[in-house]
């Protein structure tokens, strides 16, 4: 697409509080391990905190961190964030209902490395969602006792 017309996602999130999500954010979370979590935690790319997912002994937890609702035209949007992981996979997608994981449509996914890496996604090829929608960050894991970290979303 013509990148000159793309605008960054209108919400900048730096995850400064802990363990609560920033205002307007929500989560869908379930895991068989009581030690698993997806919350704001220490260890951020920009101090002090970041979004952190940990699966403990569960290889198939359901973990979504979900932005506040938006109705901006996704096809004119660029998303930028920092991420790293330990054998973790990060999927980025849209949701039409922030309480229903079945409405998640994946845009792209990344197998993360142990180093903080900047990701920039031009969403100009994504089919417009129409109406109000949410961007979602899904943490996924192939192994146990692994992490996914996300920070500085804009």
């Amino acid at each position: 697409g013509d990148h000159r017309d793309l605008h960054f996602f209108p919400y900048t999130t730096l995850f400064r509080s802990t363990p609560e999500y920033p205002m307007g954010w929500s989560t869908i979370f379930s895991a068989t391990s009581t030690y698993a979590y997806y919350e704001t935690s220490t260890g951020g790319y920009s101090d002090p905190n970041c979004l952190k997912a940990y699966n403990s002994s569960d290889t198939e937890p359901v973990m979504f961190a979900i932005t506040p609702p938006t109705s901006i035209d996704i096809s004119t949007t660029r998303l930028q964030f920092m991420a790293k992981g330990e054998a973790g996979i990060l999927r980025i997608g849209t949701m039409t209902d922030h309480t229903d994981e079945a409405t998640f449509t994946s845009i792209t996914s990344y197998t993360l490395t142990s180093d903080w890496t900047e990701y920039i996604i031009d969403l100009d090829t994504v089919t417009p969602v129409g109406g109000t929608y949410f961007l979602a960050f899904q943490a996924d894991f192939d192994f146990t006792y692994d992490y996914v970290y996300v920070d500085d979303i804009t």
Side-chain angles (χ1 to χ4, degrees):
D2 185 352
H3 301 295
R4 293 172 297 172
D5 296 331
L6 295 180
H7 307 282
F8 281 105
F9 192 65
Y11 302 108
T12 296
T13 305
L14 303 175
F15 302 102
R16 295 297 179 239
S17 60
T18 180
E20 297 83 20
Y21 276 74
M23 185 179 298
W25 281 67
S26 59
T27 184
I28 297 175
F29 176 86
S30 67
T32 58
S33 170
T34 57
Y35 298 105
Y37 57 83
Y38 201 0
E39 63 188 23
T40 301
S41 184
T42 58
Y45 175 75
S46 59
D47 287 333
N49 302 317
C50 64
L51 187 61
K52 183 177 179 182
Y54 173 61
N55 67 333
S56 188
S57 60
D58 189 348
T59 56
E60 297 184 8
V62 175
M63 296 184 175
F64 291 92
I66 305 159
T67 67
T70 186
S71 57
I72 63 166
D73 181 355
I74 195 168
S75 66
T76 64
T77 304
R78 172 179 288 157
L79 181 66
Q80 177 179 334
F81 59 92
M82 301 297 295
K84 72 175 185 173
E86 297 171 21
I89 299 163
L90 182 64
R91 288 188 177 80
I92 313 301
T94 59
M95 298 180 90
T96 54
D97 181 346
H98 71 285
T99 64
D100 183 359
E101 67 184 275
T103 70
F104 179 76
T105 301
S106 181
I107 296 170
T108 191
S109 64
Y110 301 101
T111 300
L112 303 174
T113 67
S114 60
D115 295 319
W116 282 106
T117 304
E118 179 182 57
Y119 296 92
I120 299 174
I121 308 168
D122 291 342
L123 302 174
D124 55 343
T125 60
V126 176
T127 302
V129 177
T132 301
Y133 65 94
F134 307 82
L135 282 180
F137 295 78
Q138 179 189 22
D140 197 5
F141 304 92
D142 287 332
F143 305 100
T144 56
Y145 306 101
D146 291 320
Y147 295 90
V148 166
Y149 300 81
V150 180
D151 204 0
D152 297 356
I153 297 169
T154 188

